[in-house]
Amino acid sequence: MSDTGVPSYLIPRVSPEAAEFFAGALRGELRIQRCPNCGLHHHYPRLACPHCGSERLEWITATGLGSLHSFTVIRQNGIPPFKEQVPFVVGLVDLDEPGARFIAQLPTVAPEDAVIGMRLRATYRPASDEVAFVDFGPDA
Amino acid sequence: MTRRVCVAGVGLADGPKTPDLSALMLQAQAFGRAAADANMTKQEIDGLASAGYGGMHEVQLAEYLGLTPHWLDSTSCGGSSFEFHLLHAYRAIQAGDVDTVAIVYGNNEFSAAGRSLGTGRAGGGGAAAMPYPMSWELPTGLTLVGAYAMAAQRHMHQYGTTSEQLASISVQTREHAGRNPNAMYRDPITVDDVLGSRLVADPLHKLDCCVVSDGGCAIVLTTEERAKESGRPLVYVRGAAAGMTHHSIQAMPDLTVTAGAVTGPKAFTEAGISPADVDTFQMYDSFTYTVLVCLEDLGFAPKGEGGPFVASGALRLGGALPTNTDGGGLSATHPGMRGLFLMCEAVRQLRGEAGDSQVDGAEIAVAHGSGGWLSTMGTVVFGTEPA
């Protein structure tokens, strides 16, 4: 565990297909996979395109911009540190890159300000030497 | 010609709170009652299906019961596992691979863990040990309730569905629980009570969420010929279908459409029925939204009109579609997974054994299970006559 304050049980093991994603997030870049065969993007990273099945994937640096597809306000979560953080917003973000949807915490969006369709921008939060989490906040 | 398949026995374990019974005891109790209901000895049961959270559930249970079945199914895809089991057993009996299958579930969910509303437990080992898809969700602080809540929120946005409409599902289900002496909560509630209960994950309130109870259930599926020997009223499997759309909520293709949109019509076609023919609907009510979206997907209401449909009182006894007549997961019983209880209640209705919650003259009953995070769906059509 590093000194980021993120409990170790929240930090995923870096699976091989996700190594590029986490390396990018640590640099402050949103790296996602694009499929040259069907032209669509996806997230989380995979061996093959979940849209068309092609294994010929390329990595791109996404704009980090997207729109809120849906959200919830978590008001009860028994696990630290969330237990102390409630209420907070978790959303599904449709990235501007077609095909990719991202689940993220929206720590800078107040529960009463969350609205479907709002424009969002990615921010990066190191969790360990190998992993950074991607949050989203208002694109102001 | 394939063989016709019937339910010969159903059994419920004690509940809703059984601090002195382990999970296996609840399973064995339900199994014994279902076998007795079918007038069968355990030696006559040559197939066994079960699901749980670990592995080899049905193998453990067979050993515990002293069974040596030659047909097994441990499909474990969440709360709808049992509709998958039924589909598999139905086909295997039709084909002649096996004659009699018991599907069994039981868990001391309440006594072992208490009421956490799906908000309190990290998987053992945390994100590093989680299934890969879930390892992307856990660090966001999303809860199980939150996943359903995001889907409900999207439905509200697209179709104008309201919290009052969702709440009406809880209210009508509680009316049925009032008629079930074994229900966890029986006192009547109002829409205002639901809206006044605390928000767990917007827009879902505490009373939009199912209970956590102890309990167990078993059903015995067999050939029509063998079922007639049991002496119980015949209940036929007329059609069944199962499917999935995603594992984690981030990958749900459309938050307002489940795999029920495929499994419902497929099962209804096999059964030779339309939604209008259904006398009672037993629907996995993990959350109020689960009921609403699946009512639409199975064709009981057009897409987007589930809200007005439920608010009309359709789910009540005497309503257009009496639903969850035992009080459902919202008020009666939810020991971790509920899919099997749906089928038990459907059978009881068709036998005329549903007591104060009987739907008069019920001839067609549908059970629809939902598992995971609106992930896996299974539809089963039962009837008093074959298809």
Side-chain angles (χ1 to χ4, degrees):
Chain A
M1 237 298 275
S2 58
D3 53 2
T4 61
V6 178
S8 58
Y9 56 81
L10 291 182
I11 300 174
R13 186 186 306 117
V14 177
S15 189
E17 68 272 61
E20 176 67 20
F21 171 84
F22 285 117
L26 284 167
R27 298 193 302 269
E29 292 176 29
L30 186 58
R31 299 283 286 167
I32 64 170
Q33 288 171 304
R34 178 182 178 278
C35 173
N37 185 54
C38 70
L40 292 175
H41 306 76
H42 63 268
H43 177 78
Y44 47 84
R46 293 164 167 92
L47 176 79
C49 173
H51 304 293
C52 76
S54 171
E55 293 186 16
R56 198 167 61 84
L57 299 175
E58 63 186 20
W59 285 93
I60 67 156
T61 299
T63 58
L65 296 171
S67 300
L68 188 58
H69 181 76
S70 195
F71 69 95
T72 185
V73 181
I74 300 294
R75 296 183 188 271
Q76 181 177 334
N77 185 326
I79 306 167
F82 305 122
K83 194 174 180 175
E84 293 77 36
Q85 289 173 0
V86 293
F88 57 86
V89 179
V90 176
L92 291 169
V93 182
D94 283 338
L95 301 185
D96 285 357
E97 290 76 16
R101 183 171 292 168
F102 206 100
I103 189 162
Q105 206 179 112
L106 278 53
T108 56
V109 175
E112 58 274 20
D113 294 337
V115 57
I116 287 176
M118 71 186 293
R119 294 291 294 162
L120 297 166
R121 178 184 291 275
T123 60
Y124 306 88
R125 177 165 51 97
S128 72
D129 294 341
E130 293 183 314
V131 170
F133 294 139
V134 179
D135 300 323
F136 277 80
D139 178 37
Chain B
M1 165 152 171
T2 58
R3 304 194 295 180
R4 286 174 175 163
V5 177
C6 291
V7 177
V10 295
L12 290 172
D14 292 348
K17 296 179 183 176
T18 56
D20 299 326
L21 297 177
S22 70
L24 274 169
M25 290 167 78
L26 288 161
Q27 292 163 35
Q29 198 179 57
F31 172 84
R33 290 173 184 174
D37 186 50
N39 286 314
M40 287 186 187
T41 63
K42 71 182 173 82
Q43 286 79 10
E44 293 174 82
I45 291 166
D46 51 0
L48 188 65
S50 189
Y53 301 115
M56 296 178 76
H57 325 285
E58 84 290 17
V59 182
Q60 292 177 47
L61 178 62
E63 178 181 293
Y64 189 91
L65 295 170
L67 296 177
T68 53
H70 67 257
W71 186 95
L72 296 175
D73 187 359
S74 50
T75 300
S76 199
C77 55
S80 61
S81 299
F82 313 93
E83 281 73 26
F84 284 72
H85 295 158
L86 186 130
L87 169 65
H88 302 159
Y90 170 43
R91 299 293 179 226
I93 295 169
Q94 279 184 323
D97 284 350
V98 61
D99 290 332
T100 303
V101 173
I103 308 173
V104 186
Y105 177 74
N107 201 8
N108 55 344
E109 189 87 359
F110 176 82
S111 294
R115 184 180 173 86
S116 72
L117 276 170
T119 62
R121 275 165 283 174
M130 282 227 141
Y132 181 64
M134 300 311 296
S135 73
W136 297 89
E137 295 196 346
L138 179 72
T140 69
L142 186 73
T143 57
L144 185 154
V145 187
Y148 284 83
M150 287 200 292
Q153 188 91 265
R154 183 71 198 182
H155 197 281
M156 290 175 155
H157 173 78
Q158 279 184 222
Y159 297 114
T161 304
T162 66
S163 287
E164 287 78 4
Q165 290 166 344
L166 288 171
S168 75
I169 297 170
S170 293
V171 171
Q172 293 170 74
T173 308
R174 181 62 67 87
E175 288 176 15
H176 302 156
R179 296 164 179 263
N180 175 359
N182 295 317
M184 193 130 177
Y185 298 106
R186 303 186 62 206
D187 294 337
I189 54 173
T190 65
V191 166
D192 285 344
D193 289 335
V194 179
L195 301 184
S197 65
R198 73 174 187 279
L199 279 162
V200 178
D202 300 20
L204 299 180
H205 305 77
K206 178 186 171 190
L207 291 179
D208 286 298
C209 304
C210 65
V211 306
V212 174
S213 74
D214 300 325
C217 186
I219 74 174
V220 176
L221 207 63
T222 190
T223 61
E224 177 186 37
E225 185 180 41
R226 180 64 190 82
K228 283 178 176 170
E229 293 171 16
S230 76
R232 310 292 291 127
L234 288 178
V235 173
Y236 291 86
V237 180
R238 293 181 57 128
M244 64 161 281
T245 46
H246 62 284
H247 179 234
S248 54
I249 200 72
Q250 64 194 319
M252 187 168 182
D254 181 337
L255 295 174
T256 67
V257 181
T258 73
V262 173
T263 67
K266 190 175 172 189
F268 289 1
T269 298
E270 183 185 14
I273 65 158
S274 71
D277 297 319
V278 179
D279 297 309
T280 179
F281 183 40
Q282 308 303 330
M283 169 65 218
Y284 198 132
D285 52 346
S286 46
F287 301 94
T288 50
Y289 178 67
T290 322
V291 177
L292 185 121
V293 69
C294 288
L295 281 167
E296 295 174 352
D297 289 339
L298 270 62
F300 295 115
K303 182 51 68 181
E305 295 178 28
F309 179 77
V310 298
S312 74
L315 311 187
R316 290 199 164 93
L317 284 165
L321 186 70
T323 296
N324 293 338
T325 46
D326 65 343
L330 287 169
S331 287
T333 303
H334 191 284
M337 295 196 276
R338 183 171 161 77
L340 196 50
F341 294 81
L342 309 170
M343 297 193 284
C344 178
E345 180 65 8
V347 169
R348 294 175 70 237
Q349 283 287 353
L350 295 180
R351 286 174 166 187
E353 295 176 351
D356 290 344
S357 295
Q358 183 64 45
V359 176
D360 291 337
E363 296 177 345
I364 299 284
V366 170
H368 182 76
S370 163
W373 303 261
L374 297 165
S375 317
T376 59
M377 298 279 160
T379 311
V380 182
V381 181
F382 298 99
T384 53
E385 302 288 336

